[in-house]
Each structure stands twice: as C-alpha cells, then as structure tokens.
Amino acid sequence: MAEEYLIQPDNTGINVNAFFEHHYERTAGHFQPNRIEDIKAPVTYAAQYLFDAISPLLVTAVLQQDGIDIGLPSGWRAKSLDLGRVWTKFIDFVNPDDADAGFIMACDLRIEEVRDRDLPIEELVKRIRVSQGERESLAKSNASSDLFRPENSSEIAQFRLYRYESDPGDLEVLTRRELQRCLLRDDDLEAVIRYRVPSRLAVPSDIVLLTSSDKVMEPGAALSALPVIAEFASKFDGFADLMQRHSEIGYVGMDSRYQSLLVAARGTFSHTASFPGSNFAAMIEEMWKRSVAIDVASRMDYITTLTDALLEDGYTSAENDYDCDDGDNRLYARDDGGVPCLYVENAEEAEDEGILVSFRDGRVIVANSDYATPGLRKSTIIDMMVDEKRVEEVTDICGYDDRLAVVIRQALTNIDCAHAALFPDAADDLKPAAPEGP
C-alpha cells in the first residue's frame, strides 16, 4: 500500500538532478510497461500546482461582469466567449501564429441559491435537502430560476481546458467551430487540463494534497497551455504575490512511484509568467528520451524473436502480413541488406502509416515509416545503441509529441500482443516491476 510522502517547498535546496537520476537508478533492472506514461505524472503536478496557486485570482477575473479581452506579451490573446451556457463562462486563448488554433477554458460556476435569511430553521433545513436536486436539474437543462441565477454565483467549481487546431488531422482533436459546438451541447470531451477548485479556496493552508483524479492525458498540449494561462493570470493584480506565497507550500503525495520525479519537477518550476519554465521543459524532454529508449530496449528479445519468426513464416510484406487480432494488429518483417526490420501498422492513422524497428550489431532505430512500402523511412524517432536490454547510448531522438507518444505505445503493445500469439508457451522474460518508494 502506497504511503504518504512530502514534497517540500522549493526553497529547501532541492538537487533536481539527484532526484531525477534517483528515479531511474531505483527502477533500473526492472520492467515497467510504457515508461512514456511516466511523463504524465510531473505534468499533472505542474498543472495542479499552477491552478492551486492562482485559482483565487482566476475566479475573480472570470466572474467580472465586463468580460475579458486581453493581449498577452507573447502575442496570445484571451477573450471572453459566449456559447449560450448559463452556468459556464468561457475564455478563448487564441494562438498568435494561427487564429484557428488555441485553447478554450470552460469555467463552471458553483450554482448558488438566493436564500431568504428570515426563513425559519425548519424551512432552511428543508431547502438544503431539496436544493441539490434543483441544481442538477438546472445544470442539465441549461436553465436558471428565481432562486438560482448565474449572476449570484461567487465561486468557480471547475476549470476545464480544451485545445483546438485549424487542421487537426486527428480524430481526437477538433477545429475551433467543432469544439464550440460540442461545448454548447455540453458534450463529454477529453480535456487537456481539468481542475476542480477546492471549496476551501479562501482558507490558507501550508500543506496541499497532490491529487491524481484528473491526470493530464496530453502532456505536450498541457505544456503549451500552462505558460499561456500563467501569462494571462500575470495581467491581474496579485499574481506575483500568489506565486511567491505558493512557493512556500508543501505537497503530500500518495503514489510513491513518482516521488523522486515530482520532487525534481518542483525544483525546476519558474514562479513567473513563463511557468512552468524552460528547466521543466528540458526535464520532460530528457524523460522522453529515456522512456522511449527503455521501452524499446526492454523488448529487444521480443522484437528479435518476433522478426525471425515472421521472416521464417513468410510474413514479409503489407499484402502478406501477420494479423493476430482481426485487423487491429498487423506486422511483417524484412531483411534489408542484412538489417532485420520489423514493420508495425499504425491502426490509428491512414493505412500506409507504420512504425519501423531496425536493428543490427547493437544499433536500434525506430522510425516513422510507410507500412506498405518496405524501406521507406519517413523520420527517425530514436537512434540508439543497445547491449542486450541495456541502453548504451542515444544518438538521436525526436522531440516529445502527444500523438507520437500514443503511436509508440500502441506499436509496442502490438509487438507484445503478436509475440504472445506466436509464442504462447514462452516464459515471460521481462524483468520484474520496479519497487515502490523513493
């Protein structure tokens, strides 16, 4: 069972590199599927940290009746947006390089009742019992009443941040118009960041509980959004004081697997409008390099035996490939001039997209490829030297990208699936999971 641990304020001389390296030293020699998922933990922490710090300011800014239209020094623009939702206010953050790309923040009001202070206690208790049902009904029907009016709301219950793009090229991402339509209908969308404002908003505390109920699922999008939100907040009085005051706050975490990473992350935070800052971004890129390398290297036995089996059985082209689960997991292998190559279809993209893993004499290259055209390598994801399952050196790695992280994770899952199907009696030679604790 996980135990509580404390993430100290960042004025205690945190040695970021020591804590960062400790995470990888502690987990060395152990297998954890999808190490690239580790990135979500520090980015989730960064998102909670910022909103914990500036929520009082954001609430005041959002509830002002005149609306918002602010140009930020970075070129981004924050504007109030009316989508016809009674209990939600919206702020549109528009990208200076593309007016059709950006983020929309949905700010859900706490539905508050206008109560007659002269009501007898019995009537007051009765109202408390039935008012919750009325709130839920009004929220669902997008309506107000004499007792529940949005102009009487003095708090925000939740912030939700969504991204939009001019040319998404991804089923999970919407255009600005599509996103607005979904928000108008109050569709259940996957948010880049979702933050529930604690009801104790105005009550100071020296210790904050680190939650994981709203894990950031798109770290790259969140990292793009956080500096914009911080810069927006910095335009209001009190930002610097709130950030400075929050730097003195301790956090209590419950999942000790990530303790070292989160301590390291806090030591990189910038308490300015550039939050979380360039040092945090550099830490994420280093995590990306190591996690991709470890995820691939830990499966080299699977990759080599699977490649040999596919070559032997004649699965050597997209027209004659191996499918172990009804079209969702297709692979084939080639020997290109003495270099064994494993092609894995990317079922999330167009039919000709895929991932290529080639290996020879310890050098392993993972690349974006054309699945239907053997030998056509579109771009390198990682180029490294591997000794058995141990990463010796990474000579090239592309930058972190949310979509690419999903593609790599799916490709590795497909490799695991195909290996299990072709070698059902093989012993699981992956190394044991890493121990909990710092």
Side-chain angles (χ1 to χ4, degrees):
M1 184 174 181
E3 296 182 357
E4 293 183 0
Y5 61 89
L6 181 64
I7 303 175
Q8 298 281 4
D10 62 5
N11 59 0
T12 54
I14 292 172
N15 187 325
V16 172
N17 289 336
F19 277 97
F20 183 81
E21 294 296 338
H22 180 65
H23 172 77
Y24 289 96
E25 289 170 7
R26 182 176 60 82
T27 56
H30 297 272
F31 175 73
Q32 174 190 326
N34 302 326
R35 291 298 298 262
I36 52 179
E37 295 290 292
D38 283 3
I39 291 173
K40 294 177 180 178
V43 177
T44 298
Y45 179 35
Q48 182 187 341
Y49 186 95
L50 178 63
F51 276 92
D52 282 344
I54 65 173
S55 281
L57 185 153
L58 286 181
V59 169
T60 301
V62 169
L63 291 177
Q64 65 183 23
Q65 298 300 314
D66 295 335
I68 293 167
D69 188 353
I70 301 175
L72 306 179
S74 62
W76 283 77
R77 191 159 201 89
K79 299 187 295 182
S80 293
L81 184 66
D82 186 358
L83 295 181
R85 297 299 305 178
V86 173
W87 299 104
T88 305
K89 292 181 176 290
F90 298 93
I91 301 175
D92 189 2
F93 294 95
V94 183
N95 192 323
D97 299 322
D98 185 349
D100 292 318
F103 302 93
I104 293 178
M105 181 185 289
C107 314
D108 300 324
L109 303 175
R110 289 196 195 277
I111 304 178
E112 300 174 8
E113 180 177 4
V114 179
R115 288 200 178 119
D116 183 351
R117 296 184 179 182
D118 296 328
L119 277 177
I121 187 65
E122 296 83 2
E123 288 296 319
L124 185 59
V125 172
K126 181 180 178 181
R127 283 300 310 157
I128 293 173
R129 283 202 302 265
V130 301
S131 63
Q132 182 57 37
E134 295 179 22
R135 288 185 177 91
E136 293 174 356
S137 176
L138 290 172
K140 185 175 181 180
S141 60
N142 191 33
S144 61
S145 70
D146 291 340
L147 292 177
F148 297 95
R149 297 193 297 271
E151 60 266 27
N152 292 322
S153 294
S154 60
E155 294 184 15
I156 301 295
Q158 178 178 224
F159 292 100
R160 295 173 283 129
L161 190 76
Y162 303 94
R163 68 183 172 108
Y164 59 88
E165 295 182 0
S166 55
D167 184 18
D170 188 329
L171 294 177
E172 299 296 324
V173 183
L174 303 174
T175 64
R176 188 176 190 272
R177 181 171 296 181
E178 290 169 340
L179 176 57
Q180 289 185 13
R181 281 200 295 261
C182 290
L183 292 173
L184 173 60
R185 296 193 301 260
D186 198 27
D187 291 350
D188 185 16
L189 301 174
E190 187 70 59
V192 173
I193 299 171
R194 189 184 297 268
Y195 176 82
R196 292 179 176 87
V197 180
S199 57
R200 56 159 183 77
L201 183 64
V203 180
S205 174
D206 292 333
I207 300 292
V208 176
L209 178 64
L210 181 62
T211 66
S212 58
S213 57
D214 293 315
K215 180 181 293 184
V216 169
M217 302 307 293
E218 298 179 278
L223 282 176
S224 297
L226 289 176
V228 179
I229 296 170
E231 191 178 31
F232 168 69
S234 73
K235 302 296 287 184
F236 297 90
D237 292 340
F239 172 79
D241 289 341
L242 286 174
M243 292 299 286
Q244 176 57 39
R245 190 183 314 157
H246 204 69
S247 69
E248 307 291 332
I249 298 296
Y251 273 85
V252 172
M254 301 296 291
D255 190 343
S256 56
R257 290 177 299 169
Y258 302 115
Q259 178 177 355
S260 298
L261 282 179
L262 300 186
V263 172
R266 179 157 191 173
T268 69
F269 289 165
S270 164
H271 290 84
T272 67
S274 66
F275 183 90
S278 58
N279 289 337
F280 182 78
M283 173 181 156
I284 294 300
E285 288 298 332
E286 180 64 19
M287 286 186 67
W288 167 245
K289 180 179 78 172
R290 296 197 189 196
S291 59
V292 173
I294 293 170
D295 274 351
V296 174
S298 64
R299 290 174 170 86
M300 282 313 299
D301 286 354
Y302 280 17
I303 291 169
T304 55
T305 56
L306 185 58
T307 301
D308 289 344
L310 294 175
L311 287 171
E312 184 176 345
D313 293 341
Y315 296 110
T316 57
S317 70
E319 292 74 29
N320 185 28
D321 54 10
Y322 179 71
D323 176 6
C324 72
D325 53 7
D326 300 325
D328 290 333
N329 182 8
R330 300 171 58 215
L331 311 90
Y332 69 90
R334 301 274 295 187
D335 188 324
D336 294 338
V339 179
C341 298
L342 178 65
Y343 291 82
V344 185
E345 183 190 33
N346 178 10
E348 300 296 324
E349 298 292 330
E351 186 175 344
D352 60 348
E353 293 294 318
I355 294 294
L356 162 65
V357 184
S358 62
F359 51 94
R360 181 181 181 182
D361 297 331
R363 185 184 184 190
V364 180
I365 299 175
V366 181
N368 289 302
S369 74
D370 186 324
Y371 183 74
T373 308
L376 180 57
R377 191 170 74 193
K378 295 183 176 180
S379 61
T380 297
I381 297 172
I382 190 168
D383 186 340
M384 61 182 177
M385 296 300 298
V386 176
D387 181 5
E388 294 185 344
K389 294 183 179 182
R390 185 163 57 91
V391 180
E392 293 282 299
E393 180 185 8
V394 176
T395 56
D396 191 18
I397 178 73
C398 66
Y400 178 81
D401 177 79
D402 287 326
R403 174 192 160 277
L404 185 58
V406 172
V407 169
I408 293 174
R409 184 179 68 233
Q410 186 60 50
L412 295 175
T413 299
N414 290 349
I415 288 171
D416 294 344
C417 174
H419 188 274
L422 284 173
F423 303 97
D425 299 325
D428 185 1
D429 58 356
L430 296 177
K431 295 179 180 179
E436 292 189 357

